Amino acid sequence: MSTGTPGAAGASTGGAGAGPATAAVVEVLGVRHHGPGSARAVRAALERLQPDVVLVEGPADADPVAALVADPGLVPPVALLAHVTDAPGTAAFWPFAVFSPEWQAVVWAHERGARVRFCDLPSSTSLALRDTGTEDPEDTEAPGGSQQDLGQAAGTEQAGERGEPDAAAPAPSADLLGVRRDPLAALAAAGGYDDPERWWEDVVESRLDTPTPFAVLTEAMAELRAAAPALPAAQQLTEDRREAHMRQVLREVLKGGARRVAVVCGAWHAPALTGTLPSAASDARLLRGAPKRRTSVTWVPWTHSRLAHASGYGAGITSPGWYHHLFTARDEPVPRWLTRVAGVLRAEDLPVSSAHVIEAVRLADTLAVLRGRPLAGLAEVTEATRAVMTGGDDALLALVTDRLVVGEAMGSVPEGAPTVPLAADLRASAKRLRLAQESAERGLELDLRKDTDAARSRLLHRLRLLGVDWGVPTRSQVRSTGTFREAWRLVWAPELAVSVVEASLWGTTVAAAASAKAVSDAAGAPLPALTALVERCLLADLPEALPVVVDAVGERAALDLDVAHLMAALPALVRAARYSDVRGTSASALTAVASGLLVRTCAALPAAVTSLDDAGATALRAALDDVHAAVLLWEDPDASERWSAALAGVSARTDVHGLLTGRTTRLLRDTARLSPAGAARRLRRALSVGTPAPAQAAWVEGFLGRDGLLLVHDADLLALLDGWVCSLPEREFTEVLPLLRRTFGAYDRGERRSIGDAVTRRPTTTTAAAAVVDDALALPALRTAALLLGGPA
């Protein structure tokens, strides 16, 4: 919408009156955010208008970093990140893709030497409005137009992050929210389209009767705004302030001497910037009293998947990869797209030939003609892919959607972009260690005997301690009996940039920040968390924090009387003491603390195992297993002797839950503290007639644990257990069957098969031989089985 008359210009400048400003030309380009059609139309309009100032809907305090668009290192998708300086967790993103009209407007301005300014409310105000609860939580229609908060970036709803609506006002309807979030989609739906971009292509860009579509779109938006129900008061105030700020910036650049101004904004706001505008004084009154907070703004990498609706982004789209293709493939977009689809399927070893591509192109074009559309859209190429290339397989079609339709392209940011010192240190460390910050998930196998791999491990563990989960430990795929291997799963998500900013409160380097965070976490942490923190400090190689945390463990252990806490704390402490062998870090101070914990655990164990119910016994059995594994890892004869004596005391008692006596008996047998014959005698006693069947089953469950292969290799135990099961009366067998099923159900299929084979190989006992088959009773069943198998009845 162009304005060039004195009246229009006077309205745009707040009644500036006649003079040089009255000859200024202002054109408002209302766009659909993240739309390739909108992006192309904006560039065409800018080429025609040749403005000397381009205003873009975005946080006004981002102007200082707008110049980085000219840096070749800033590659979309990227996002403006704004965060409150003294509270980095309060932050917001304004994402841009290469097909975003706002991005193309900024790029065009830098290419032509035009001034570019963001004109929306500054982040200092919008983030302050979030804290006061007056920001519209649903007004997320634009990159640069409105922010995506951290809850949206993570794909979750976080109540209170963006403020709640006025409690006294009714919530806006879903239809209203949909119209306001994507007004062009509402127009497309009214025209019978399910794809706003296809509607734009068919109805707007294919028309030849108007040079640009923006005047028509502004009129349509005016009608939608007039018909839309009113927002709650707080949300309406926020929107009014946004549009008032846009008009004030427009007046400012006109007063500064701009002759031709282009305003690129969401189509919904276009009517508020054209026609007869409110006075500058009324806009100033709207903005007066708006809260503010000190913020910092920079660029961060973004991804296509974070532009999608599925990520929780309100202005999201369903097919960012497809839109990127539409914008970058200027000729033959459908054949080029289907060729890429064929490449994805071939990478999965599927037989997709060039003939498939040709046939799919023909089908997509035919579908477009039958539907009266000038070009095939995403729906047509998807149906052609399903019919021709995937044979109707929805799983393969989902693969194409993930790889291409959505995609996982990640942008980059130049090193000169403003950032906190911690982020700069992380970037330098990652570069030195050749760790790329990629959005695609990848595995990383580390050999801690190598200097580079050990340094990578330290960096990733330090980041995890800071809450920056770039890497997550996984199970190594390399078979090894040593402790020198680590496996990681690396994924760099855009919201981790905010986590880095939050972590910068602890220090300017990763090592210093992790040390400070560990010392802070040690204050007030319970004993199990403290010993786990010791382990993490050793993994991260934090020699400054380790003594403080170890001292805290000693103090807390001396005062903690809960045996569950003592047992939960010991394994992590023992594992930490072992790291001196692999990583070269000193862990000698941990040995004395671990010894003290073990002495207190053994002393408290007899009382701890008394009068437990099933749930308590189950929990304590897991703790026994963990402590036992830790003592074996420790390889200290005194510790092993002390722990075995404690287990023997529990195993010999008759007033303890069978799950625990069975488990302690098994642990003693495995460490040769009890002979197999002795273990068999205790099993036989536990399965004697005087013991209730549920108690017998609990003893068996504790004894066998998760290692069913013991029955395969110990024929005497298998015979004893088999005889016990066969001797159970029907009523008792019914009682213990669920317990036995739980025990044997924990084994994998191979173990269960091996146990079954071992049972069938056993010689027939007198108990089993006593069962005589009645041929008359069995005959009907045999005939039915023969019919089912297709044999003669």
Side-chain angles (χ1 to χ4, degrees):
M1 175 71 72
S2 298
T3 59
T5 64
S12 296
T13 58
T22 61
V25 175
V26 177
E27 186 158 340
V28 179
L29 312 178
V31 299
R32 179 175 187 259
H33 305 294
H34 308 311
S38 295
R40 283 194 295 268
V42 163
R43 286 200 69 103
L46 294 176
E47 286 291 342
R48 175 183 51 80
L49 180 62
Q50 292 294 315
D52 45 358
V53 176
V54 178
L55 301 183
V56 177
E57 186 182 341
D61 46 2
D63 285 346
V65 298
L68 288 174
V69 172
D71 193 312
L74 188 65
V75 179
V78 290
L80 287 169
L81 166 63
H83 63 86
V84 176
T85 305
D86 57 357
T90 303
F93 298 101
W94 285 260
F96 297 83
V98 70
F99 50 83
S100 299
E102 297 85 355
W103 176 263
Q104 289 300 321
V106 175
V107 170
W108 184 93
H110 282 286
E111 290 174 349
R112 301 298 189 276
R115 289 175 56 203
V116 62
R117 288 188 59 180
F118 292 110
C119 60
D120 203 347
L121 281 176
S123 64
S124 58
T125 298
S126 60
L127 292 179
L129 288 173
R130 177 187 305 176
D131 287 346
T132 59
T134 58
E135 185 192 42
D136 178 2
E138 294 291 347
D139 192 10
T140 54
E141 64 178 29
S146 54
Q147 61 270 28
Q148 177 182 13
D149 65 23
L150 301 186
Q152 292 172 313
T156 59
E157 294 295 334
Q158 297 183 9
E161 288 251 358
R162 295 178 54 82
E164 298 297 335
D166 188 347
S173 68
D175 290 341
L176 170 61
L177 294 177
V179 169
R180 301 178 73 87
R181 185 182 299 115
D182 196 345
L184 293 186
L187 293 179
Y193 283 75
D194 58 358
D195 184 353
E197 281 304 308
R198 185 164 54 214
W199 173 83
W200 180 279
E201 296 283 346
D202 292 357
V203 178
V204 179
E205 290 199 343
S206 298
R207 291 175 60 93
L208 302 177
D209 53 351
T210 54
T212 59
F214 298 112
V216 177
L217 288 174
T218 299
E219 293 179 12
M221 290 302 109
E223 294 297 324
L224 280 177
R225 288 169 65 104
L231 285 172
Q235 298 177 20
Q236 187 62 53
L237 176 60
T238 297
E239 180 165 303
D240 291 343
R241 280 173 166 168
R242 291 182 60 198
E243 293 175 346
H245 192 276
M246 294 180 197
R247 292 191 291 265
Q248 291 290 61
V249 174
L250 175 58
R251 294 184 181 103
E252 182 182 337
V253 298
L254 290 172
K255 287 182 180 179
R259 314 308 304 150
R260 293 181 305 280
V261 180
V263 183
V264 181
C265 63
W268 183 263
H269 301 294
L273 304 177
T274 58
T276 302
L277 305 182
S279 66
S282 64
D283 284 343
R285 283 193 299 271
L286 271 174
L287 296 170
R288 189 176 301 126
K292 290 186 178 181
R293 299 192 67 178
R294 185 180 178 186
T295 60
S296 300
V297 184
T298 188
W299 291 102
V300 295
W302 203 250
T303 65
H304 275 172
S305 63
R306 285 290 190 258
L307 289 171
H309 279 302
S311 73
Y313 177 31
I317 51 181
T318 58
S319 50
W322 167 253
Y323 285 177
H324 180 86
H325 175 77
L326 285 182
F327 186 78
T328 55
R330 300 303 178 90
D331 63 320
E332 301 292 345
V334 173
R336 293 178 184 275
W337 175 263
L338 291 171
T339 300
R340 293 179 62 196
V341 171
V344 169
L345 297 176
R346 287 170 187 154
E348 299 298 321
D349 294 329
L350 296 172
V352 180
S353 66
S354 56
H356 288 86
V357 177
I358 294 171
E359 189 60 32
V361 171
R362 289 174 177 170
L363 178 57
D365 290 341
T366 302
L367 288 173
V369 172
L370 291 174
R371 294 167 180 174
R373 292 164 182 165
L375 292 174
L378 180 59
E380 286 76 30
V381 297
T382 300
E383 292 175 32
T385 300
R386 177 187 284 111
V388 178
M389 294 185 176
T390 67
D393 190 330
D394 288 337
L396 293 178
L397 196 64
L399 175 69
V400 173
T401 299
D402 291 340
R403 301 275 182 88
L404 290 183
V405 178
V406 175
E408 196 53 48
M410 184 172 183
S412 63
V413 174
E415 294 186 1
T419 186
V420 294
L422 179 64
D425 180 65
L426 171 58
R427 186 185 303 168
S429 299
K431 184 176 181 180
R432 183 180 69 254
L433 298 174
R434 300 188 298 280
L435 289 175
Q437 294 174 325
E438 300 172 339
S439 60
E441 179 180 319
R442 72 183 185 96
L444 181 66
E445 292 277 350
L446 299 180
D447 184 341
L448 301 180
R449 297 169 297 182
K450 300 178 180 179
D451 292 342
T452 300
D453 282 1
R456 289 173 173 174
S457 173
R458 287 193 293 270
L459 175 64
L460 294 173
H461 280 295
R462 289 170 180 174
L463 291 175
R464 280 179 58 79
L465 203 152
L466 289 170
V468 183
D469 292 331
W470 178 13
V472 177
T474 60
R475 179 173 295 183
S476 176
Q477 301 300 314
V478 180
R479 287 184 171 272
S480 173
T481 58
T483 58
F484 53 84
R485 289 197 178 276
E486 275 186 356
W488 293 82
R489 178 178 59 84
L490 301 184
V491 180
W492 183 265
E495 57 267 22
L496 291 179
V498 178
S499 301
V500 173
V501 174
E502 289 184 284
S504 66
L505 297 175
W506 298 104
T508 57
T509 66
V510 176
S515 293
K517 181 70 162 52
V519 171
S520 175
D521 289 347
L527 184 59
L530 270 177
T531 55
L533 185 60
V534 169
E535 187 176 13
R536 298 180 71 182
C537 286
L538 285 166
L539 288 168
D541 190 16
L542 301 176
E544 295 181 359
L546 185 60
V548 178
V549 181
V550 171
D551 290 345
V553 171
E555 295 173 4
R556 203 69 43 80
L559 301 176
D560 201 322
L561 303 178
D562 191 335
V563 68
H565 285 177
L566 298 175
M567 296 180 74
L570 186 61
L573 206 58
V574 172
R575 286 195 303 269
R578 291 281 295 176
Y579 292 140
S580 58
D581 297 336
V582 178
R583 298 172 182 270
T585 53
S586 175
S588 57
L590 302 178
T591 303
V593 178
S595 297
L597 280 179
L598 183 61
V599 169
R600 298 186 62 202
T601 298
C602 293
L605 190 60
V609 300
T610 305
S611 302
L612 292 177
D613 58 9
D614 290 344
T618 300
L620 190 56
R621 181 188 67 168
L624 285 172
D625 285 343
D626 292 342
V627 174
H628 186 74
V631 171
L632 293 179
L633 179 68
W634 199 347
E635 296 181 348
D636 183 328
D638 293 338
S640 298
E641 190 65 34
R642 184 176 293 111
W643 177 243
S644 296
L647 292 179
V650 174
S651 175
R653 291 172 58 177
T654 58
D655 61 338
V656 177
H657 197 286
L659 194 66
L660 299 178
T661 53
R663 193 61 191 155
T664 52
T665 300
R666 172 65 184 278
L667 296 178
L668 290 170
R669 181 190 185 280
D670 288 347
T671 54
R673 301 285 179 169
L674 184 65
S675 66
R681 283 195 300 272
R682 294 192 181 185
L683 175 59
R684 189 176 297 109
R685 184 170 63 242
L687 301 180
S688 62
V689 177
T691 307
Q696 296 175 354
W699 205 100
V700 170
E701 181 181 359
F703 183 78
L704 294 180
R706 294 178 175 82
D707 183 12
L709 291 180
L710 175 66
L711 295 176
V712 178
H713 301 298
D714 194 324
D716 293 337
L717 283 180
L718 179 61
L720 181 60
L721 188 62
D722 186 33
W724 168 67
V725 172
C726 294
S727 66
L728 286 173
E730 181 179 354
R731 182 180 57 80
E732 293 187 359
F733 180 78
T734 304
E735 289 182 17
V736 304
L737 182 59
L739 300 177
L740 293 176
R741 181 173 293 171
R742 181 177 64 187
T743 301
F744 287 91
Y747 306 150
D748 60 38
R749 182 176 300 178
E751 287 181 320
R752 294 198 299 269
R753 183 183 297 110
S754 298
I755 294 172
D757 292 342
V759 171
T760 58
R761 290 195 302 267
R762 286 191 59 245
T764 303
T765 63
T766 55
T767 304
V772 178
V773 177
D774 188 325
D775 294 337
L777 292 176
L779 186 57
L782 293 174
R783 287 175 176 173
T784 302
L787 287 172
L788 292 175
L789 296 174

